[in-house]
Amino acid sequence: TISYCTTPAPTTCPHPHLLLTLPALHPALHRPTTTMSKTKNATAEDPADKPGPPSKCSDVTFLEDKKDATELTLSSKVWSDMLRNAEILAQFTRLKKLDIGSCGLTTLPSSLEVLAPSLEILFLSENKFEAIPDVVGKLHHLRMLSFRGNRLTELSSSNLPSSSLVWLILTNNQISKIDTNVQKLRHVRKLMLSHNELTSIPKEMGECKDLELIRLANNDINVPLPKEFLTLPKLAWISLAGNPIAHCPQTKEKEILKSSVSFDESKILGRGASGTVYHGKYKGGDVAVKIFKKQSSGSDGNPEDEAAINALVDHPLAVSAHGVFLSDEEGSTTHEGIIMPLLENAEALGKVPSFGTVTRDAAPSDTAKDMSREQVLSVVWNVASVLEHVHSAAKVVNGDVYLHNILQCGEGVAKVSDWGASFVYGGNSEFSTIFEAIEVLAFGRLVQDLFDWHLDTAVPDSTETADFLGRTRGKPMEKGPLCDLLTSILQPKQNARPSFSDIKAVLSSVPEFGAAKVCAERVIAGMP
C-alpha cells in the first residue's frame, strides 16, 4: 500500500520498509494504492534490487562469508555459482528467507532440500517456471512461497508443503485450473491468485478451513462461486474485480476532462505496481493525481475497476476520487487516472501484515500508538458508517478493511481509504448476504485490533483458538450490548453474523458511542 501527504519523509527511520525513499524489506503484503500519508507500508512483491557480491572477492568467498545469514537475496550469477559448489548450500543452516527472483529459472535442484530444516520464506518471483518443482514440497518448514510472475498453468498441492504453508503468492501466471487436491492446503491463510486465467473455483476450496484472505481479481470466472468456498468460517477479505461475475459499474458521475487536471511529473508523491501519484491541481486546488500504468498487474485488480469503484464511492468519511478521467488517445474508453484529495498530515492507523501475522495488521502505526477509548470508538463508528453505506447503497465490497487503510486526518477524523481491491456484487440477494457477511468479519478483526492494541481488551472471538496472536493477554471485555455485538460478528457461522445496518443500529443504542456519532454527523454536514 502506498500512502502519501505533503509532509517530507525523514531521511532515517527505524522501519526503513515504511519509507518511499528506502528499499522495501517486506514482499507484496498488499497492492499499491492511493491514500494520503507519505508512508510506504509495502510496495513490490519482491525486492527490486538484488545486490551482488563485493567486487574484491569471488562469489564463492562471498557465500562462505554469509553462511550464518538468516536472509539471502541472490543474483542469477551468485545462484549459479552456488549450484556449482553444492557443499556451500549445506552451510546455510540458519537460512530462513531466500530470494532468487528474476533469475530466469525454470527448475530447482534437488539439493535445495538441504535447507528444509530452517527455510521458511522462498521467493521465486519473475522467473520462467511452468510447474512447481518437486523439491519445493520437501521444504517442510516453508510458511511463505511466491511464484509471482511465472508461467504456471495449474494450482495443485502435489508439490507444495501443505503441512506448513500459510501464505501462497501465485499472482500474474497463466493458471487456468485449480486441482481438487487443493483441499490439502488446510493451513493456507492467504492465497494470491489475481491476474490468471481461472474460469471457476472448485468446491474443494471449501476444505481450506484456515483461509482468511483470497485475491481472485482479473481472472475469467464466469460461473457462481461455490458456497462451500464462500462460506469458509474465517474468510474475511476477498477481491473479484475484473471477472465476468463481478459487475464493473459504468458511471459518468465523477468523469472529468483530462484537460482540467494538471500535475508536475517532478513532484512524485508515491509509486506502486498500478501507477504513480503526483502532486497536481484541479479547479485551482491542490490534489493528488494517480496515473495508472498500462497493463499493470497488482495483486488485487486492474486500473479500470479501481477507477470505476472510486467513481461510485461517495461518503464524507471515505477517501475516494474527486474525479476520474479517460486517456486522451483518440477513441479511448480507458481511464488513465484519478484525482484524490491531498490530505494534510494524514496517517494510517496500522502497519501492514508481517511475515508473522500474515493476514492481520502487524501493529499500530508509529503515530497511532496511544489512542484513547473515545478515539477508538470514533474509528469504530466511522468505519461502520462507511461500510453500511457502500453495502446498502452501492453493493460494493471494500475487500481490504484494515487499520493500515484507515487514515487519521489532520482534523482528527478517521476515514476509510483504499478501494483497489473493491468490487460490485450486484443484486442477487443470497450472494449479497454472503459477501456482506465476509466483510463483517473483516470489520470485526479491525475492532479486535483496536481494542487489543489500545485498550488491552480481549474481544470475544470464536473463530480462533484463545491464544491466537497472543489475544489472551488482554482483560476480558465487559458484558453488555457491545460485547454481544462483537461476539455475533467474530464467529464462524456467516448466516448468524449481523449486517452493517444491524451493526450501526446497535452502536447507535450504546450511550458511549454518542460523542463519536455527533462528531461524524458534523463531518458529514460539512461543519468544522
Side-chain angles (χ1 to χ4, degrees):
T1 308
I2 292 181
S3 7
Y4 52 88
C5 72
T6 55
T7 306
T11 54
T12 60
C13 176
H15 304 285
H17 62 286
L18 298 179
L19 295 179
L20 289 170
T21 54
L22 296 174
L25 298 182
H26 291 307
L29 303 173
H30 290 271
R31 90 208 142 281
T33 187
T34 307
T35 52
M36 302 315 114
S37 76
K38 193 171 185 179
T39 304
K40 178 178 181 181
N41 289 333
T43 53
E45 174 142 354
D46 303 294
D49 299 318
K50 296 189 175 295
S55 57
K56 294 182 179 179
C57 62
S58 70
D59 294 342
V60 173
T61 303
F62 168 75
L63 290 171
E64 288 176 344
D65 290 343
K66 297 289 184 180
K67 65 183 180 181
D68 291 327
T70 57
E71 298 185 8
L72 276 181
T73 299
L74 304 179
S75 67
S76 57
K77 184 176 186 300
V78 176
W79 175 246
S80 297
D81 284 340
M82 180 181 280
L83 296 184
R84 285 195 292 271
N85 297 271
E87 69 279 2
I88 294 179
L89 196 60
Q91 296 178 2
F92 290 91
T93 57
R94 300 177 59 195
L95 192 65
K96 291 185 178 297
K97 177 186 172 186
L98 176 61
D99 182 352
I100 40 178
S102 302
C103 289
L105 304 180
T106 60
T107 187
L108 292 173
S110 59
S111 58
L112 193 68
E113 187 179 355
V114 74
L115 299 179
S118 63
L119 194 65
E120 297 180 6
I121 300 166
L122 178 59
F123 285 102
L124 297 164
S125 304
E126 309 303 331
N127 280 295
K128 299 178 182 180
F129 290 97
E130 295 181 0
I132 297 175
D134 293 349
V135 69
V136 172
K138 299 175 182 179
L139 301 174
H140 52 82
H141 283 106
L142 201 66
R143 299 180 69 250
M144 181 180 186
L145 175 64
S146 176
F147 273 94
R148 177 189 171 105
N150 278 273
R151 301 172 182 177
L152 304 180
T153 58
E154 181 181 16
L155 167 55
S156 168
S157 65
S158 297
N159 293 333
L160 292 173
S162 57
S163 63
S164 62
L165 197 63
V166 297
W167 188 344
L168 179 58
I169 302 172
L170 300 174
T171 309
N172 196 24
N173 276 273
Q174 300 164 25
I175 297 171
S176 59
K177 178 187 176 183
I178 298 178
D179 194 286
T180 57
N181 67 18
V182 71
Q183 63 189 328
K184 294 181 180 179
L185 300 178
R186 296 178 182 273
H187 303 297
V188 168
R189 295 169 53 198
K190 179 181 284 191
L191 179 56
M192 315 297 273
L193 282 166
S194 292
H195 300 282
N196 278 288
E197 300 172 8
L198 294 169
T199 57
S200 64
I201 301 296
K203 65 180 182 180
E204 286 78 10
M205 282 283 291
E207 295 299 318
C208 301
K209 300 298 185 183
D210 281 348
L211 189 64
E212 297 180 66
L213 182 151
I214 188 166
R215 299 307 191 204
L216 293 166
N218 207 32
N219 277 276
D220 196 28
I221 300 172
N222 52 26
V223 296
L225 298 173
K227 289 182 184 176
E228 294 90 341
F229 158 63
L230 281 180
T231 56
L232 281 166
K234 299 181 185 180
L235 186 61
W237 300 274
I238 184 171
S239 69
L240 281 171
N243 286 283
I245 60 167
H247 302 261
C248 185
Q250 302 297 319
T251 176
K252 295 185 179 293
E253 238 175 81
K254 291 189 180 181
E255 202 161 281
I256 60 176
L257 294 174
K258 182 181 178 183
S259 58
S260 66
V261 182
S262 63
F263 60 92
D264 186 340
E265 291 189 1
S266 68
K267 295 181 178 179
I268 297 175
L269 300 176
R271 282 194 179 97
S274 65
T276 303
V277 183
Y278 303 93
H279 184 280
K281 293 282 187 180
Y282 176 64
K283 292 185 176 180
D286 291 321
V287 294
V289 182
K290 180 173 183 176
I291 303 297
F292 295 120
K293 287 180 184 176
K294 294 182 179 179
Q295 299 178 330
S296 67
S297 54
S299 62
D300 288 326
N302 55 48
E304 195 59 32
D305 288 295
E306 183 177 343
I309 295 291
N310 266 278
L312 202 62
V313 173
D314 192 9
H315 192 283
L317 295 173
V319 179
S320 61
H322 282 328
V324 299
F325 53 89
L326 298 173
S327 166
D328 54 9
E329 295 179 8
E330 187 175 351
S332 175
T333 59
T334 301
H335 287 103
E336 183 177 343
I338 59 179
I339 61 169
M340 309 283 289
L342 189 64
L343 304 180
E344 293 287 343
N345 302 317
E347 299 287 348
L349 296 183
K351 295 180 180 180
V352 297
S354 66
F355 292 134
T357 63
V358 185
T359 58
R360 312 293 176 84
D361 276 342
S365 64
D366 294 339
T367 56
K369 285 185 175 179
D370 298 303
M371 293 177 64
S372 67
R373 186 174 182 88
E374 184 180 33
Q375 289 173 317
V376 166
L377 297 181
S378 179
V379 174
V380 172
W381 176 269
N382 289 5
V383 175
S385 298
V386 172
L387 295 178
E388 189 272 334
H389 172 76
V390 297
H391 278 274
S392 60
K395 302 299 181 187
V396 168
V397 171
N398 174 278
D400 215 13
V401 176
Y402 277 102
L403 284 170
H404 70 258
N405 288 326
I406 309 302
L407 300 179
Q408 192 82 28
C409 302
E411 64 272 26
V413 177
K415 296 188 176 184
V416 179
S417 73
D418 192 345
W419 302 92
S422 303
F423 64 95
V424 179
Y425 53 80
N428 183 308
S429 58
E430 184 179 14
F431 283 96
S432 295
T433 302
I434 290 174
F435 284 125
E436 185 170 2
I438 291 171
E439 190 127 289
V440 163
L441 183 56
F443 170 74
R445 298 288 184 227
L446 179 147
V447 177
Q448 190 176 41
D449 283 341
L450 284 170
F451 275 74
D452 179 25
W453 296 344
H454 303 293
L455 305 180
D456 192 31
T457 297
V459 174
D461 180 3
S462 59
T463 68
E464 298 287 4
T465 56
D467 62 350
F468 184 79
L469 291 181
R471 297 293 183 195
T472 54
R473 69 178 180 271
K475 61 183 180 289
M477 194 171 204
E478 289 185 15
K479 298 294 184 182
L482 182 57
C483 182
D484 292 342
L485 175 64
L486 293 173
T487 300
S488 68
I489 289 173
L490 289 163
Q491 52 100 356
K493 295 181 180 178
Q494 275 189 1
N495 58 8
R497 292 176 197 152
S499 67
F500 282 111
S501 294
D502 295 333
I503 291 170
K504 275 289 296 295
V506 173
L507 296 181
S508 295
S509 71
V510 178
E512 65 176 337
F513 278 91
K517 184 178 179 180
V518 170
C519 180
E521 287 173 347
R522 292 178 69 88
V523 174
I524 291 171
M527 299 170 65

